Amino acid sequence: QVQLVESGGGLVQPGGSLRLSCVTSGFTFSNNWMYWVRQARGKGLEWISSINGGSDNIRYADFAKGRFTVSRDNAKNTVYLQMNSLNDEDTAVYFCANQIESVDIQGYWGQGTQVTVSS
């Protein structure tokens, strides 16, 4: 069965950094696009970043450019999100997913990890 488990969230001060991890199993990870999405309290889902299997096609939302870096380790079936220069608008639950672009293909999401940026 497909599983995605995020970790690495927590409480950080403005300007701080966090590194999120998403460990996956149950599907062929190495040739699969992976995605990071977040949801702030009372808000909708907000796409953060996408990375293809070979890490040679990477995309970021405008708010993430220059601050966030997505990467992956196919040997570990794991995708990462390095977040720097965090501010209070980054407070959200952060999810990884293996498919978000097609309504006809089942996508799987993790349970999410909470990131809180506060002084």
Side-chain angles (χ1 to χ4, degrees):
Q1 59 186 15
V2 174
Q3 291 186 322
L4 299 86
V5 181
E6 301 95 336
S7 63
L11 176 65
V12 297
Q13 295 184 354
S17 298
L18 283 174
R19 181 177 171 86
L20 307 183
S21 298
C22 174
V23 179
T24 75
S25 61
F27 66 98
T28 303
F29 179 84
S30 61
N31 62 359
N32 203 99
W33 279 85
M34 293 297 296
Y35 308 86
W36 285 99
V37 182
R38 70 185 185 183
Q39 185 171 34
R41 174 172 259 189
K43 304 291 186 179
L45 296 169
E46 186 176 37
W47 169 75
I48 302 167
S49 183
S50 306
I51 181 170
N52 74 335
S55 299
D56 57 357
N57 195 340
I58 298 174
R59 303 167 184 174
Y60 296 99
D62 286 342
F63 70 82
K65 293 177 181 176
R67 296 194 300 130
F68 294 3
T69 303
V70 67
S71 61
R72 64 193 293 160
D73 185 340
N74 289 342
K76 298 180 178 179
N77 292 339
T78 300
V79 62
Y80 305 95
L81 185 67
Q82 177 69 45
M83 305 189 294
N84 301 325
S85 301
L86 290 164
N87 60 68
D88 58 358
E89 294 185 351
D90 296 316
T91 296
V93 178
Y94 284 70
F95 301 93
C96 64
N98 72 350
Q99 207 293 121
I100 66 169
E101 295 184 81
S102 174
V103 298
D104 299 317
I105 301 174
Q106 175 69 59
Y108 293 89
W109 296 54
Q111 82 291 340
T113 185
Q114 176 71 48
V115 171
T116 302
V117 185
S118 177
S119 59

